[in-house]
Amino acid sequence: MTKFTKTCLPLIGAALCAAPALAQEKWDLPMAYAGSNFHSVTGAEFAQCITTGTGGEIEVTTHPSGSLFAGADIKRAVQTGQVPIGERLLSGHQNEDALFGWDSIPFLVSSFDEHDKLYEIVKPHLEELLAEQNLTLLYSAPWPPQGLYFDREINSVAEMEGIKFRSYNNATNRLAELTGMLPVQIEAAEISQAFATGVAESMVSSGATGYDRKVWESLSHFYSVDAWLPRNYMLINSDVWEGVSEGNKNVIEACAQMAEYAATWRAKEYTGFTLAGLRDGGMTVEPANDALMEELKAIGDTMTEEWLEAAGETGAEIVDSYGAAQ
Ligand code: PCA
C-alpha cells in the first residue's frame, strides 16, 4: 500500500504536491556493534541516505548492538529474508567457506594499504560466493589492525598458557589454541561484562573495540601486533535487491559508495585516536617485543598454511596474485 506521508492542499491535487514522500517499504537493518562504533555510525548515515535519497520510498532503520539479531545470526536473517538488509563480519562464517576468512590470516597483510590491495583481489571471488547464497554486497569496510589485549604483561607465547581468551571467529579460536589459551566466543556487545566477571582475560581486536567497550576497566595491556584487518560487510538479500527500481538502486549504490569511503576513512582515523584513548584509560599500549613477534609470526605461518589448504584453488590464486602484485 502506498501511503502519502505529506498531506497536500486538497484543491491542488496530488500531481502538484511538492515532493510527496511515499513510504512504500520499511527496511530493518540489524548491526552487531555498539551504536557509537564507527561502522554503526556509518551504517546509520547510510540508512538515512537511502531514506532521503529515495524520497521515503524505502525507509531504513538501523538496529545496532545486536538488538534485532545477534552478530552470528545476521547473515542468515538476510539470506532467508527475515530482514532485507544487514551488516556482518563475514570472517565469522569461515566454517561455511574458507574464503570468508581471507581477512583474518595472521600477518599476511598488516597495514591498511596492503589490506586494500588484497581486498581488490578477493572481492570478485567473494561477490560470487555471496551471490550463490542469495546475498548482494553493497559496501564493506575494514576494522583497524588487530592487536592483543591482556590483563597482565605478556612477553612470550609460553606466558599465555591457560589464559581465558575472548574470540570472535574461527581464526581467533585457532590463534587461542595455538598459543595455549582457552577460547570463548563472545560478541563485542558483551565483552565488557565478560572481562569484568573474569569469563575472559584477553582478546585479539582493534583499538576501536577496546575503546568502544572501555576495556581498561578490566584489562591492562594492549600489544599492537597488527595481525590482520577484518572487514564488516553491508549485505542485501538478492531477491529484495532485484525488486528495487533502477532509480532507487542508483541511490543505494551511491549511498553505499559514500559509506564505504567514510567508514574506511574513519577506521584509519580511529586507529591512533582509540589507542590514545586506551592509554588515557590507563592501559600500557606498546608493540610486542621482537621475540614474541617472531613466535606470533610462526603461528601466522601455520595459520596461513591451514587457510590455503582449506581455501583450495581460489585461496592459492588469491595469495599468488597478491604476491605477484607486490
Ligand atoms: N572488533 C570486532 C571485530 C574486529 C574488531 O576490531 C570484535 O572484536 O568483535
Side-chain angles (χ1 to χ4, degrees), residues 9-326:
L9 291 174
L11 293 177
I12 295 179
L16 294 177
C17 291
L22 305 174
Q24 292 179 325
E25 283 192 52
K26 287 184 188 293
W27 289 358
D28 286 312
L29 190 166
M31 306 183 94
Y33 301 95
S36 59
N37 172 265
F38 73 94
H39 284 294
S40 307
V41 169
T42 307
E45 289 169 357
F46 171 67
Q48 185 59 54
C49 178
I50 297 175
T51 304
T52 309
T54 64
E57 282 185 22
I58 301 173
E59 196 182 309
V60 188
T61 308
T62 52
H63 301 270
S65 288
S67 56
L68 191 58
F69 286 97
D73 301 325
I74 291 175
K75 177 168 169 285
R76 176 145 302 277
V78 179
Q79 251 173 292
T80 56
Q82 282 173 283
V83 284
I85 188 169
E87 190 205 45
R88 175 65 178 145
L89 177 99
L90 276 182
S91 63
H93 300 282
Q94 199 177 342
N95 49 347
E96 284 175 34
D97 195 299
L99 188 60
F100 287 139
W102 74 273
D103 60 8
S104 302
I105 304 168
F107 307 113
L108 181 59
V109 298
S110 289
S111 68
F112 281 102
D113 285 349
E114 290 171 355
H115 170 90
D116 283 353
K117 282 182 198 146
L118 187 59
Y119 180 56
E120 282 313 307
I121 295 167
V122 170
K123 195 176 170 192
H125 297 284
L126 212 48
E127 285 181 316
E128 203 177 306
L129 172 59
L130 288 169
E132 286 166 18
Q133 301 193 347
N134 204 32
L135 292 167
T136 300
L137 173 63
L138 292 176
Y139 75 86
S140 146
W143 288 89
Q146 305 290 289
L148 284 165
Y149 287 85
F150 290 99
D151 63 354
R152 64 198 82 169
E153 184 182 329
I154 289 286
N155 289 304
S156 66
V157 167
E159 288 174 11
M160 297 178 193
E161 185 73 39
I163 292 179
K164 288 179 245 164
F165 179 87
R166 174 262 167 170
S167 63
Y168 62 76
N169 63 11
N170 278 15
T172 50
N173 265 317
R174 186 70 183 130
L175 181 68
E177 282 170 11
L178 291 168
T179 49
M181 293 194 278
L182 308 171
V184 45
Q185 197 149 334
I186 301 169
E187 292 289 331
E190 320 284 326
I191 60 175
S192 308
Q193 253 162 298
F195 290 131
T197 55
V199 168
E201 305 159 310
S202 65
M203 69 171 172
V204 63
S205 192
S206 56
T209 290
Y211 178 82
D212 289 344
R213 308 315 303 165
K214 297 188 171 58
V215 299
W216 53 82
E217 288 172 359
S218 309
L219 304 181
S220 55
H221 287 73
F222 178 80
Y223 296 102
S224 49
V225 299
D226 295 348
W228 64 82
L229 296 85
R231 288 180 88 88
N232 277 10
Y233 300 80
M234 187 63 76
L235 303 169
I236 188 165
N237 177 291
S238 297
D239 300 327
V240 171
W241 183 239
E242 273 161 35
V244 173
S245 69
E246 277 312 305
N248 285 342
K249 270 189 181 146
N250 290 338
V251 169
I252 295 170
E253 279 168 349
C255 293
Q257 267 185 24
M258 286 194 287
E260 180 156 316
Y261 180 83
T264 304
W265 186 85
R266 284 171 174 153
K268 291 175 187 169
E269 285 294 298
Y270 232 51
T271 303
F273 172 80
T274 54
L275 294 186
L278 296 180
R279 259 190 213 107
D280 290 346
M283 293 185 73
T284 302
V285 176
E286 59 189 21
N289 70 44
D290 291 348
L292 174 55
M293 218 43 215
E294 256 179 52
E295 289 185 289
L296 292 173
K297 290 210 161 140
I299 289 173
D301 290 344
T302 304
M303 288 178 65
T304 306
E305 274 167 35
E306 288 176 353
W307 184 79
L308 280 169
E309 222 163 273
E313 265 175 45
T314 314
E317 201 183 313
I318 289 167
V319 172
D320 287 351
S321 315
Y322 178 72
Q326 295 314 293

